[in-house]
Amino acid sequence: MLVGAHESIAGGVANAVDRQLENGGNCGQIFTHSPQVWQDPSIDDTDAEAFRDRSQKHDVGPWVIHSSYLVNLCTPKDGLRAKSIDSMQKEIDAAAQLSIPYVNVHLGAHTGAGEQQGLDNAVSALDELTVPDGVTILIESDAGSGTKLGNKFDHLEYILEESTHELEVCLDTAHVFAAGYDLSTPAAVDTTFTQFDATVGLDNLACVHLNDSKHACGTNKDEHAHIGKGKIGESGMEAFINHSAIDPVPLVLETPSEDGKGFEWNINRVRDLANDPA
Protein backbone atom coordinates (compact mmCIF):
# COMPACT_ATOMS: atom_id res chain seq x y z
CA MET A 1 0.00 0.00 0.00
CA LEU A 2 1.02 3.62 -0.47
CA VAL A 3 1.40 5.25 2.94
CA GLY A 4 3.74 7.95 4.16
CA ALA A 5 3.92 11.22 6.04
CA HIS A 6 4.38 14.94 5.68
CA GLU A 7 8.13 15.33 6.01
CA SER A 8 10.40 18.29 6.72
CA ILE A 9 12.75 19.58 4.01
CA ALA A 10 15.17 21.06 6.58
CA GLY A 11 18.71 20.97 5.21
CA GLY A 12 17.48 20.45 1.65
CA VAL A 13 14.42 19.01 -0.02
CA ALA A 14 16.21 15.72 -0.77
CA ASN A 15 16.38 15.08 2.97
CA ALA A 16 12.61 14.57 2.96
CA VAL A 17 13.17 11.31 1.10
CA ASP A 18 15.59 10.05 3.76
CA ARG A 19 13.18 11.03 6.54
CA GLN A 20 10.37 9.21 4.76
CA LEU A 21 12.43 6.06 4.52
CA GLU A 22 13.38 6.29 8.20
CA ASN A 23 9.69 6.44 9.11
CA GLY A 24 8.84 3.48 6.87
CA GLY A 25 6.86 5.48 4.32
CA ASN A 26 6.80 5.09 0.54
CA CYS A 27 4.97 8.28 -0.49
CA GLY A 28 4.57 11.67 1.15
CA GLN A 29 4.09 15.40 1.31
CA ILE A 30 6.24 18.49 1.86
CA PHE A 31 6.05 22.23 2.30
CA THR A 32 8.54 24.05 0.07
CA HIS A 33 8.90 26.73 2.79
CA SER A 34 7.28 27.76 6.06
CA PRO A 35 3.51 27.63 5.49
CA GLN A 36 2.89 30.47 7.94
CA VAL A 37 4.54 33.24 5.90
CA TRP A 38 4.53 34.58 2.37
CA GLN A 39 7.71 33.07 1.01
CA ASP A 40 8.82 31.69 -2.34
CA PRO A 41 10.23 28.19 -2.74
CA SER A 42 14.03 28.24 -2.85
CA ILE A 43 15.19 24.96 -4.34
CA ASP A 44 18.38 24.87 -6.39
CA ASP A 45 18.81 22.54 -9.32
CA THR A 46 21.30 20.30 -7.50
CA ASP A 47 18.95 19.67 -4.58
CA ALA A 48 16.03 19.15 -6.96
CA GLU A 49 18.02 16.55 -8.88
CA ALA A 50 18.99 14.80 -5.64
CA PHE A 51 15.32 14.71 -4.56
CA ARG A 52 14.25 13.23 -7.89
CA ASP A 53 17.08 10.69 -7.91
CA ARG A 54 16.54 9.51 -4.31
CA SER A 55 12.80 9.24 -4.80
CA GLN A 56 13.29 7.16 -7.93
CA LYS A 57 16.05 5.00 -6.46
CA HIS A 58 14.04 4.10 -3.36
CA ASP A 59 10.66 4.04 -5.14
CA VAL A 60 9.19 6.75 -2.90
CA GLY A 61 6.18 8.51 -4.39
CA PRO A 62 3.96 10.05 -5.33
CA TRP A 63 4.83 13.21 -3.45
CA VAL A 64 2.52 16.15 -2.80
CA ILE A 65 3.41 19.80 -2.23
CA HIS A 66 1.09 21.41 0.31
CA SER A 67 0.54 25.10 -0.41
CA SER A 68 0.93 27.88 2.14
CA TYR A 69 -1.71 28.22 4.84
CA LEU A 70 -1.99 31.89 3.87
CA VAL A 71 -3.38 31.12 0.42
CA ASN A 72 -7.07 32.06 0.20
CA LEU A 73 -8.63 31.38 -3.18
CA CYS A 74 -12.12 32.37 -2.00
CA THR A 75 -11.18 35.83 -0.77
CA PRO A 76 -12.98 38.94 -2.08
CA LYS A 77 -9.88 41.04 -1.31
CA ASP A 78 -7.85 41.90 -4.40
CA GLY A 79 -4.50 42.06 -2.62
CA LEU A 80 -4.87 38.69 -0.90
CA ARG A 81 -6.20 37.15 -4.10
CA ALA A 82 -3.13 38.34 -6.05
CA LYS A 83 -0.75 37.01 -3.38
CA SER A 84 -2.59 33.69 -3.31
CA ILE A 85 -2.40 33.25 -7.07
CA ASP A 86 1.29 34.18 -7.13
CA SER A 87 2.06 31.77 -4.28
CA MET A 88 0.18 28.93 -5.94
CA GLN A 89 1.93 29.50 -9.26
CA LYS A 90 5.32 29.27 -7.58
CA GLU A 91 4.29 26.02 -5.84
CA ILE A 92 3.18 24.60 -9.18
CA ASP A 93 6.50 25.61 -10.75
CA ALA A 94 8.36 23.96 -7.85
CA ALA A 95 6.33 20.78 -8.35
CA ALA A 96 7.39 20.70 -12.00
CA GLN A 97 11.03 21.26 -10.98
CA LEU A 98 10.87 18.35 -8.51
CA SER A 99 8.75 16.05 -10.73
CA ILE A 100 6.07 16.09 -8.02
CA PRO A 101 2.64 15.35 -9.52
CA TYR A 102 0.40 17.16 -7.02
CA VAL A 103 -0.01 20.57 -5.40
CA ASN A 104 -2.57 20.52 -2.60
CA VAL A 105 -4.57 23.61 -1.58
CA HIS A 106 -7.41 24.58 0.73
CA LEU A 107 -10.09 26.74 -0.88
CA GLY A 108 -9.95 29.27 1.95
CA ALA A 109 -12.66 31.48 3.43
CA HIS A 110 -15.18 33.79 1.79
CA THR A 111 -14.95 36.21 4.79
CA GLY A 112 -18.47 37.54 4.33
CA ALA A 113 -18.73 37.52 0.55
CA GLY A 114 -21.09 34.53 0.72
CA GLU A 115 -20.70 30.88 -0.12
CA GLN A 116 -21.46 31.11 -3.83
CA GLN A 117 -19.30 34.17 -4.40
CA GLY A 118 -16.48 32.50 -2.49
CA LEU A 119 -16.67 29.42 -4.67
CA ASP A 120 -16.74 31.54 -7.82
CA ASN A 121 -13.74 33.51 -6.56
CA ALA A 122 -11.85 30.25 -6.09
CA VAL A 123 -12.69 29.02 -9.58
CA SER A 124 -11.56 32.26 -11.21
CA ALA A 125 -8.34 32.33 -9.15
CA LEU A 126 -7.51 28.75 -10.09
CA ASP A 127 -8.18 29.48 -13.72
CA GLU A 128 -5.50 32.20 -13.71
CA LEU A 129 -2.85 29.59 -12.97
CA THR A 130 -0.64 28.00 -15.59
CA VAL A 131 -0.44 24.29 -14.84
CA PRO A 132 2.12 22.30 -16.85
CA ASP A 133 1.70 18.72 -17.96
CA GLY A 134 2.54 16.33 -15.16
CA VAL A 135 1.21 18.54 -12.36
CA THR A 136 -2.34 18.43 -10.95
CA ILE A 137 -3.90 20.74 -8.38
CA LEU A 138 -5.68 18.93 -5.55
CA ILE A 139 -8.52 20.68 -3.71
CA GLU A 140 -8.47 19.56 -0.08
CA SER A 141 -11.62 18.93 1.92
CA ASP A 142 -11.95 21.30 4.87
CA ALA A 143 -13.32 21.11 8.41
CA GLY A 144 -15.45 24.17 7.69
CA SER A 145 -14.91 26.49 10.65
CA GLY A 146 -16.00 30.10 10.25
CA THR A 147 -16.52 31.02 6.60
CA LYS A 148 -14.11 28.42 5.23
CA LEU A 149 -15.33 26.50 2.20
CA GLY A 150 -14.62 22.96 1.04
CA ASN A 151 -16.33 21.31 3.99
CA LYS A 152 -19.22 20.14 1.81
CA PHE A 153 -18.76 17.64 -0.98
CA ASP A 154 -20.97 19.92 -3.09
CA HIS A 155 -18.30 22.62 -2.83
CA LEU A 156 -15.64 20.29 -4.18
CA GLU A 157 -17.93 19.11 -6.95
CA TYR A 158 -18.64 22.71 -8.01
CA ILE A 159 -14.97 23.68 -8.18
CA LEU A 160 -14.07 20.62 -10.25
CA GLU A 161 -16.95 21.16 -12.64
CA GLU A 162 -16.49 24.90 -13.13
CA SER A 163 -12.70 25.20 -13.40
CA THR A 164 -11.03 24.98 -16.78
CA HIS A 165 -8.28 22.87 -15.18
CA GLU A 166 -8.44 19.10 -14.68
CA LEU A 167 -8.50 19.23 -10.89
CA GLU A 168 -8.65 16.38 -8.41
CA VAL A 169 -9.39 16.08 -4.70
CA CYS A 170 -7.48 15.33 -1.50
CA LEU A 171 -9.80 13.94 1.16
CA ASP A 172 -8.70 14.65 4.74
CA THR A 173 -10.32 12.18 7.12
CA ALA A 174 -10.13 14.47 10.17
CA HIS A 175 -11.59 17.37 8.16
CA VAL A 176 -14.38 15.30 6.65
CA PHE A 177 -15.29 13.96 10.08
CA ALA A 178 -15.23 17.44 11.65
CA ALA A 179 -17.40 18.69 8.78
CA GLY A 180 -20.14 16.20 9.67
CA TYR A 181 -19.42 13.16 7.50
CA ASP A 182 -19.19 10.23 9.90
CA LEU A 183 -16.29 7.77 9.59
CA SER A 184 -16.47 6.10 13.00
CA THR A 185 -18.03 2.78 11.93
CA PRO A 186 -17.80 0.55 8.85
CA ALA A 187 -21.39 1.48 7.91
CA ALA A 188 -20.63 5.19 8.29
CA VAL A 189 -17.54 4.85 6.09
CA ASP A 190 -19.63 3.18 3.39
CA THR A 191 -22.24 5.94 3.59
CA THR A 192 -19.66 8.72 3.37
CA PHE A 193 -17.95 7.14 0.36
CA THR A 194 -21.34 6.72 -1.32
CA GLN A 195 -22.05 10.43 -0.76
CA PHE A 196 -18.61 11.37 -2.06
CA ASP A 197 -19.00 9.25 -5.17
CA ALA A 198 -22.45 10.69 -5.90
CA THR A 199 -21.11 14.25 -5.85
CA VAL A 200 -17.36 14.56 -6.40
CA GLY A 201 -16.84 11.09 -7.87
CA LEU A 202 -14.35 8.52 -6.62
CA ASP A 203 -12.48 8.80 -9.91
CA ASN A 204 -11.48 12.33 -8.80
CA LEU A 205 -9.96 11.16 -5.50
CA ALA A 206 -6.18 11.39 -5.93
CA CYS A 207 -4.88 11.55 -2.35
CA VAL A 208 -5.98 11.05 1.26
CA HIS A 209 -4.70 12.91 4.29
CA LEU A 210 -5.13 10.13 6.82
CA ASN A 211 -5.67 11.57 10.29
CA ASP A 212 -7.81 10.69 13.28
CA SER A 213 -9.67 13.54 14.98
CA LYS A 214 -9.44 14.85 18.53
CA HIS A 215 -12.96 16.26 18.22
CA ALA A 216 -16.39 14.79 17.55
CA CYS A 217 -18.12 14.51 14.20
CA GLY A 218 -19.70 17.76 13.03
CA THR A 219 -17.82 20.06 15.42
CA ASN A 220 -15.89 21.82 12.62
CA LYS A 221 -12.81 21.59 14.84
CA ASP A 222 -9.60 20.69 13.04
CA GLU A 223 -7.17 18.93 15.37
CA HIS A 224 -5.49 15.70 14.35
CA ALA A 225 -5.00 12.61 16.50
CA HIS A 226 -2.99 9.40 16.20
CA ILE A 227 -4.50 6.73 13.97
CA GLY A 228 -7.22 4.89 15.89
CA LYS A 229 -6.72 6.99 19.03
CA GLY A 230 -9.20 9.78 18.27
CA LYS A 231 -12.94 10.16 17.82
CA ILE A 232 -12.95 8.29 14.50
CA GLY A 233 -11.39 5.42 16.40
CA GLU A 234 -9.88 2.09 15.49
CA SER A 235 -13.01 0.58 13.94
CA GLY A 236 -13.61 3.53 11.66
CA MET A 237 -9.98 3.89 10.67
CA GLU A 238 -9.67 0.18 9.91
CA ALA A 239 -12.79 0.30 7.74
CA PHE A 240 -11.53 3.38 5.89
CA ILE A 241 -8.02 2.05 5.31
CA ASN A 242 -9.34 -1.25 3.93
CA HIS A 243 -12.14 0.24 1.83
CA SER A 244 -11.96 -0.53 -1.88
CA ALA A 245 -12.65 3.14 -2.69
CA ILE A 246 -9.12 4.21 -1.72
CA ASP A 247 -7.18 1.45 -3.44
CA PRO A 248 -4.56 2.45 -4.64
CA VAL A 249 -4.84 6.10 -3.47
CA PRO A 250 -1.75 7.34 -1.54
CA LEU A 251 -2.34 7.87 2.18
CA VAL A 252 -0.38 10.78 3.66
CA LEU A 253 -0.26 11.18 7.44
CA GLU A 254 -0.34 14.55 9.17
CA THR A 255 -0.63 13.02 12.62
CA PRO A 256 0.89 14.74 15.68
CA SER A 257 4.17 13.98 17.40
CA GLU A 258 3.10 13.49 21.01
CA ASP A 259 2.69 10.83 23.70
CA GLY A 260 5.88 9.18 22.48
CA LYS A 261 4.32 8.54 19.07
CA GLY A 262 5.33 10.05 15.75
CA PHE A 263 5.06 9.30 12.06
CA GLU A 264 6.81 5.92 12.30
CA TRP A 265 4.31 4.69 14.91
CA ASN A 266 1.36 5.91 12.86
CA ILE A 267 2.64 4.44 9.59
CA ASN A 268 3.12 1.10 11.32
CA ARG A 269 -0.37 1.41 12.80
CA VAL A 270 -1.86 1.93 9.34
CA ARG A 271 -0.05 -1.14 8.03
CA ASP A 272 -1.22 -3.18 11.02
CA LEU A 273 -4.84 -2.17 10.45
CA ALA A 274 -4.46 -2.97 6.76
CA ASN A 275 -2.66 -6.23 7.46
CA ASP A 276 0.07 -4.96 5.12
CA PRO A 277 3.55 -6.08 6.28
CA ALA A 278 5.58 -4.25 3.60
Side-chain angles (χ1 to χ4, degrees), residues 115-256:
E115 181 177 300
Q116 187 58 55
Q117 186 60 57
L119 292 172
D120 288 337
N121 289 346
V123 169
S124 63
L126 287 163
D127 286 352
E128 288 197 30
L129 299 169
T130 300
V131 183
D133 291 343
V135 178
T136 299
I137 298 171
L138 304 183
I139 307 301
E140 182 177 346
S141 61
D142 201 276
S145 62
T147 64
K148 290 181 180 178
L149 300 178
N151 57 306
K152 299 176 183 177
F153 292 161
D154 290 347
H155 295 172
L156 306 177
E157 176 190 26
Y158 184 83
I159 298 295
L160 266 61
E161 286 184 348
E162 295 299 318
S163 176
T164 58
H165 294 302
E166 294 296 322
L167 308 172
E168 293 187 299
V169 167
C170 174
L171 194 69
D172 187 304
T173 51
H175 296 174
V176 166
F177 188 69
Y181 297 95
D182 194 6
L183 294 172
S184 62
T185 67
V189 170
D190 282 338
T191 297
T192 293
F193 272 126
T194 297
Q195 290 174 302
F196 184 89
D197 193 31
T199 50
V200 182
L202 286 169
D203 56 330
N204 292 313
L205 179 60
C207 181
V208 167
H209 284 170
L210 191 69
N211 305 296
D212 210 325
S213 174
K214 290 187 177 181
H215 302 282
C217 184
T219 58
N220 302 118
K221 293 181 179 180
D222 176 14
E223 194 173 5
H224 299 174
H226 296 304
I227 301 300
K229 299 295 185 180
K231 298 296 184 181
I232 295 175
E234 182 175 311
S235 177
M237 276 292 170
E238 183 175 16
F240 186 96
I241 290 164
N242 290 287
H243 202 284
S244 60
I246 63 164
D247 184 22
V249 176
L251 309 177
V252 177
L253 302 173
E254 301 171 321
T255 45

Side-chain angles (χ1 to χ4, degrees), residues 13 20 23 31 34 38 79 84 89 101-102 130 149 158 186 197 206 215 219 238 278:
V13 67
Q20 195 68 258
N23 286 320
F31 291 123
S34 169
W38 292 114
S84 298
Q89 187 63 60
Y102 300 121
T130 300
L149 300 178
Y158 184 83
D197 193 31
H215 302 282
T219 58
E238 183 175 16

